[in-house]
Each structure stands twice: as structure tokens, then as C-alpha cells.
Amino acid sequence: MTHSSPESGPAAPGPASPGAPGPRTVPASPGAPAAPAAPVTPGAFESALHRLRVWEAEPPRFDPRTAPEDPLDLFRAWFVDAAEAGQPEPHTTQLATVGADGRPDVRTVVLHGADADGWRFASHATSAKGRQLAAHPYAALHFYWPLRARQVRLRGAVTTGTAEEAYADLHARSTGALAAALTGRQSAPLASPEELAEANEAAWERAAADPAAHAPTWTVYRLVPLEAEFFQGDTRRRHVRLRYHRPAPEDAWSRGLLWP
């Protein structure tokens, strides 16, 4: 399984940075384009691929009979466990949506919270995922924590928060996160790196000068799961798959095991 960097956009929620933004690098105007890198041969690719292994450490044991009745409680416990075990970026998650053409789409985003109202993330309503969610408000989230040989899958409807929630979400974050949101135009065609550098520099200046500035298209989304699956890997391939399910958000959860 691979781990990709988060999609461009604000970082995880955290304390707002006071004062001016910290040091940053603005790309200089390039001269002649660099020569393309030599392609990796198929043999080198296959060799690198087949040398890889998973779960270098012994995975923890998980007895599904001890699992709580609500998957939110188990998610929080596994999340904290992954963070304390040193799992890099345990708050990143793969968000899968469906386009207008019925084809699936996926990208990595940052989790902003998880509570009884759902699993929360944010983005521009005008981005590709924002438009897809507006047309088809259902999605899946996938978390993978290889240090603990654990995965969590969530499927359900997606709702949008209020404008007040979007403003609070954006301004609970760093100056850089605000600058990224003010740059906007996520998923739109980009003519050149220089165009991005110019827009980004202007957004940094605005964010530093006006910390209360808002990006009107910034939107908080909540995935309200009807299905949650917890996967615990096992070195002998006796993996544990615990699935929670409910017909509607107001219903009680049922749960059962799945063959791995």
C-alpha cells in the first residue's frame, strides 16, 4: 500500500500563528528548463517493488469481542494509538468521490475532526471534490496506519457545514493555511509555475496583513458513515475485519466479522 502526500491545501487544524508568517521560499523565475531525468527501467522498478515488505514490527493483537458498540470510540482509540506509536501523519486520509461521469476519484486530505456529527474535512466548494460532492453527496474515507498494521474504511453521506463553521475552521489554522486558501482556484488549469508563485505571494501578503480575511468558497464537510470497517493485520494472514453497519444515521449500529 502506498502513502501519498496530502493534496495541496491547508494543513491540519492547529493554533493560529500570531504575527507575520515565518520564512518561506518563493521560486525564482526559471531559466532554461532542466533536462528530463533518465527513465527508470522496468527491471529496476520491478526489483524495487518486490524487495518491499509490510509490517516490519509485530502487529498488535485485536480481539473484536472487546470492541465498543460505536465505531467512533474505536476509531478514536486506534487513532491515538497510531499517533503515539509514531505513525507519520495519521490524520491524513484518502477521500473517494464519484464524478459526474460515474467514474471514481480519490485524493489524500487531512482529517479536521471526528465526533457524533461525522468525520470532518474541508476544502473549496469549487474544487474537483467539492463539485463532485455537490452533485453526488456520498463518499468514502480510508485511513492506513502501517506501523500498527491497521486500516479503517468509512462509507456514507456527506453534508456541508455552515459559513460560520467554515470561517472558524480556516481561522483556527496557520497563516500559511490561510494563504493557501486565499490563493484558491484549486483544480483549475495552471498556465505556469510563475503564475502560481505570483498568486501565492499575494495571498501570503494578504494573510499576514489581514488575518481575518476569508475565502468564501472554503467549506467544511462531514462524512456521516453508515458503514465502518476496522482491519487489523496479522503476520500469519489471519487478519481481523470488523464491520459496523446501520441502515440510517439515527439507527443503532450492528457489527460482525468478515473473512479476510
Side-chain angles (χ1 to χ4, degrees):
M1 207 173 255
T2 60
H3 174 73
S4 59
S5 298
E7 186 180 54
S8 298
S17 299
R24 64 188 185 281
T25 301
V26 178
S29 297
V40 174
T41 66
F45 167 76
E46 293 291 335
S47 176
L49 175 63
H50 294 296
R51 284 199 308 268
L52 297 174
R53 295 293 180 266
V54 295
W55 311 335
E56 305 233 348
E58 183 68 23
R61 298 292 181 183
F62 170 55
D63 184 350
R65 294 171 296 184
T66 66
E69 294 184 1
D70 192 323
L72 175 62
D73 295 327
L74 184 56
F75 176 84
R76 285 173 167 169
W78 277 24
F79 181 90
V80 171
D81 175 82
E84 292 180 346
Q87 174 64 55
E89 301 181 356
H91 57 317
T92 55
T93 178
Q94 285 67 56
L95 168 68
T97 54
V98 176
D101 55 5
R103 297 178 180 177
D105 202 354
V106 68
R107 76 288 288 158
T108 303
V109 298
V110 173
L111 181 70
H112 288 197
D115 54 30
D117 293 327
W119 274 249
R120 192 167 69 253
F121 58 95
S123 186
H124 289 282
T126 51
S127 67
K129 58 184 169 296
R131 297 193 303 272
Q132 290 168 354
L133 288 170
H136 189 77
Y138 296 89
L141 291 174
H142 173 254
F143 296 84
Y144 180 47
W145 301 314
L147 287 183
R148 306 301 277 165
R150 286 174 169 171
Q151 302 179 58
V152 180
R153 298 169 58 216
L154 306 164
R155 299 171 64 200
V158 175
T159 63
T160 56
T162 65
E164 291 75 18
E165 288 175 317
Y167 184 88
D169 175 88
L170 188 55
H171 292 86
R173 303 152 74 78
S174 67
T175 301
L178 176 59
L182 292 173
T183 301
R185 290 179 273 182
Q186 190 178 65
S187 303
L190 176 66
S192 68
E194 293 78 19
E195 182 183 21
L196 172 60
E198 182 178 349
N200 177 259
E201 180 65 13
W204 271 95
E205 292 176 358
R206 183 183 173 197
D210 182 10
H214 187 44
T217 59
W218 191 251
T219 304
V220 170
Y221 296 94
R222 287 183 177 84
L223 186 143
V224 184
L226 297 181
E227 182 180 340
E229 182 188 325
F230 293 79
F231 172 99
Q232 174 63 71
D234 179 85
T235 54
R236 293 185 63 82
R237 303 306 190 260
R238 297 169 182 169
H239 311 312
V240 178
R241 292 178 63 189
L242 175 64
R243 177 178 178 266
Y244 290 81
H245 179 264
R246 59 184 177 180
E250 62 272 16
D251 293 329
W253 290 100
S254 61
R255 55 184 173 167
L257 296 175
L258 300 174
W259 279 85

